[in-house]
Amino acid sequence: MEFQYENSFDIEEKMKTTKIAILPVGAVEAHGPHLPLGTDNLLAERVAKRLAERIDCFVLPTLPYGQVWSLRNFPGSINVSNESLISMIVDIGESLYRQGFKTFAMVNGHLGNQPALKDAARVLFTTCPEMKVFYFFYPGMNKAAKEVRETESTHATYFHACEIETSYMLYLAPEYVVMSKALNDVPVIPSDADVTPTPWENFTTSAVLGDATLATEDKGKYIIDLAIDNMLTMLKASEN
């Protein structure tokens, strides 16, 4: 059920059938020439909707802005602070708690949001003690990606507009992918990028971290379906 399309007369009764609310969280940022600025929003939304096809829940309107400090100087990128993101998530979570929700699951499409979502979940752990809070980011994807990718990852953590993320889009939102513009652009990321602030323009001009030309729908399906299965297992356990 999509929360925003319900009305206040009917919603009270419908909330008796499920106590799970899912919030897609994305970002607006550069994703090379072949993917749109709203890639992370599209991925978060479509994963959330696929979850809703398999478990009774409400899908909340997407939170469309994220912490994109690393890419904030690229054309089209819109950055919000961790503090702003934490505050918004906590306010949403506490509102859901007052409405009687018992499970609040954030489905995140942007890695840079994870620190803020984790901190927000910790606040809600205290302020909403009877509500289970998840901050999902493709759980299980690392192992699955290693099984299907044809190139080595350019970084132990980062993946962006590359073979993997482009495959996600080919599976979940293919109408927004222009594969004729996909790049093979493998940057050299300095070792100190993990331990000191490093804007991405220091090592890439495209915002593509790998060979996007190798992306396929099948690769995306394999990883995304596994991640959704993992999320479902945890969501169903939270109902017990």
Side-chain angles (χ1 to χ4, degrees):
M1 292 178 284
E2 293 194 57
F3 197 82
Q4 66 180 329
Y5 300 125
E6 301 295 336
N7 66 69
S8 63
F9 281 68
D10 297 337
I11 194 71
E12 184 176 12
E13 191 65 27
K14 290 186 177 183
M15 285 193 296
K16 293 178 182 178
T17 68
T18 180
K19 302 296 183 183
I20 300 174
I22 296 177
L23 175 67
V25 185
V28 177
E29 64 173 0
H31 276 83
H34 65 298
L35 298 179
L37 296 169
T39 288
D40 298 335
N41 292 327
L42 287 163
L43 293 175
E45 287 172 359
R46 297 199 177 183
V47 168
K49 288 180 180 179
R50 288 186 183 234
L51 283 169
E53 292 171 358
R54 297 177 60 185
I55 190 170
D56 192 15
C57 65
F58 288 99
V59 177
L60 300 169
T62 301
L63 186 57
Y65 300 107
Q67 187 274 104
V68 298
W69 184 92
S70 297
L71 283 158
R72 62 182 177 172
N73 295 324
F74 282 73
S77 295
I78 298 176
N79 178 54
V80 299
S81 67
N82 278 337
E83 292 77 13
S84 295
L85 197 53
I86 292 167
S87 180
M88 182 70 76
I89 294 292
V90 170
D91 286 347
I92 292 170
E94 290 179 347
S95 292
L96 294 170
Y97 188 62
R98 286 193 295 272
Q99 294 282 334
F101 283 94
K102 298 298 183 182
T103 301
F104 174 33
M106 293 169 271
V107 173
N108 182 25
H110 173 61
L111 178 62
N113 290 336
Q114 280 299 96
L117 302 194
K118 181 177 181 178
D119 283 350
R122 287 176 169 177
V123 173
L124 292 169
F125 182 84
T126 299
T127 63
C128 306
E130 296 178 9
M131 184 170 70
K132 184 75 171 180
V133 181
F134 295 101
Y135 42 96
F136 292 132
F137 185 71
Y138 308 114
M141 69 151 288
N142 288 339
K143 180 177 182 294
K146 287 181 181 178
E147 293 172 2
V148 299
R149 68 182 311 142
E150 297 178 58
T151 54
E152 290 294 322
S153 176
T154 59
H155 187 271
T157 304
Y158 305 152
F159 68 99
H160 197 262
C162 56
E163 177 184 359
I164 298 303
E165 190 170 34
T166 304
S167 293
Y168 291 177
M169 284 290 285
L170 287 172
Y171 177 45
L172 293 172
E175 69 271 31
Y176 294 101
V177 183
V178 184
M179 283 302 291
S180 62
K181 295 183 178 180
L183 301 178
N184 177 4
D185 193 0
V186 182
V188 177
I189 302 175
S191 59
D192 65 358
D194 291 330
V195 293
T196 189
T198 307
W200 280 19
E201 62 264 27
N202 287 10
F203 54 79
T204 177
T205 58
S206 68
V208 176
L209 303 188
D211 190 351
T213 69
L214 295 175
T216 68
E217 178 184 354
D218 286 344
K219 292 174 185 176
K221 182 180 189 304
Y222 182 76
I223 302 169
I224 293 293
D225 285 356
L226 178 68
I228 288 174
D229 285 344
N230 290 335
M231 286 184 263
L232 282 168
T233 297
M234 288 182 266
L235 287 171
K236 289 176 179 177
S238 75
E239 294 182 290
N240 300 327

